[in-house]
Amino acid sequence: MDIETRIAQFEKMANDDPTNDMAHFSLGGAYKQAMRYADAAKCYDRCVELNPTMSKAYQLAGECHLAAGDEAKAGEVLAEGYTVAAERGDLMPKNAIAELMEKLGIALPEVDESKAPDIPEGSFIDRKTSRPGTQLAAAPFRGPLGAWIYHNVSSQTWDEWIGQGTKVINELRLDLSRDEDAEAYDRYMREFL
């Protein structure tokens, strides 16, 4: 599926359900891939407006504001995102945001990281969120991708994907018995995870 078709599908999802943070997140990703950075930044901004705890969206919004030439807005979004990521214990977005802010010469905000959840020794850490979670009881399906999900994705994140995946199937009217629709579903799943 070409990028313009993907953009059209995500635009439809975002327009049909303007409160769907993941639709805006996915549309931002498609715009970013098409190098439409100002449009992508707006989508990521809308995503954090709807879900102010999604630290990865702050990171991507900052990157896209920078690519669109709006350094001031990028700094503002990144500072807010750094605070959110630090307070939530979202290490991967926090570190990526810190790196971007350092490149821009922006001081990192003072953050009370005591609010961040304690991660007990030996806990299962979700690779998408960098947060502790419950490991899936078994791989969700056979093969290398199923094994990767089992070893890297918490049951909480997997449950979020099931909800989002259902929206993808319904909004895009996917028929998973068709190879091209199954491939589209798999691509959205990989992007989410």
Side-chain angles (χ1 to χ4, degrees):
M1 184 181 315
D2 69 28
I3 189 62
E4 293 306 319
T5 303
R6 290 183 61 222
I7 288 171
Q9 288 178 332
F10 284 129
E11 284 174 339
K12 180 177 180 349
M13 284 178 71
N15 289 331
D16 287 352
D17 183 2
T19 62
N20 182 343
D21 59 332
M22 285 308 301
H24 293 281
F25 185 85
S26 298
L27 179 56
Y31 281 148
K32 184 179 181 197
Q33 185 180 354
M35 294 185 284
R36 292 173 54 180
Y37 298 114
D39 291 329
K42 288 177 188 173
C43 289
Y44 290 127
D45 288 342
R46 177 68 177 141
C47 181
V48 297
E49 181 183 314
L50 294 168
N51 183 353
T53 64
M54 191 183 286
S55 53
K56 184 68 173 180
Y58 287 98
Q59 174 196 335
L60 296 171
E63 289 174 7
C64 290
H65 281 296
L66 276 175
D70 192 348
E71 192 172 309
K73 180 66 175 172
E76 176 186 317
V77 170
L78 291 170
E80 186 176 345
Y82 181 85
T83 301
V84 168
E87 289 177 351
R88 288 180 45 83
D90 295 342
L91 301 178
M92 292 172 65
K94 176 189 163 197
N95 294 338
I97 291 170
E99 187 178 310
L100 284 168
M101 291 178 72
E102 288 170 11
K103 285 180 184 175
L104 292 171
I106 300 171
L108 298 178
E110 293 287 326
V111 179
D112 179 8
E113 294 191 46
S114 66
K115 295 179 185 177
D118 288 330
I119 299 174
E121 186 76 26
S123 291
F124 180 79
I125 305 299
D126 186 298
R127 302 279 286 180
K128 178 182 189 308
T129 64
S130 299
R131 297 176 57 85
T134 306
Q135 188 171 20
L136 291 164
F141 38 83
R142 294 184 191 133
L145 181 58
W148 183 89
I149 290 168
Y150 173 74
H151 291 291
N152 295 285
V153 177
S154 70
S155 62
Q156 293 81 4
T157 300
W158 182 250
D159 289 345
E160 285 180 39
W161 163 248
I162 295 301
Q164 181 62 26
T166 301
K167 289 180 183 179
V168 168
I169 291 168
N170 292 336
E171 294 292 331
L172 302 180
R173 302 195 191 305
L174 298 179
D175 175 358
L176 297 181
S177 67
R178 295 176 27 164
D179 288 342
E180 59 272 10
D181 287 1
E183 288 173 21
Y185 179 84
D186 286 350
R187 185 178 57 255
Y188 293 122
M189 179 181 66
R190 284 185 180 94
E191 287 174 6
F192 180 86
L193 298 175

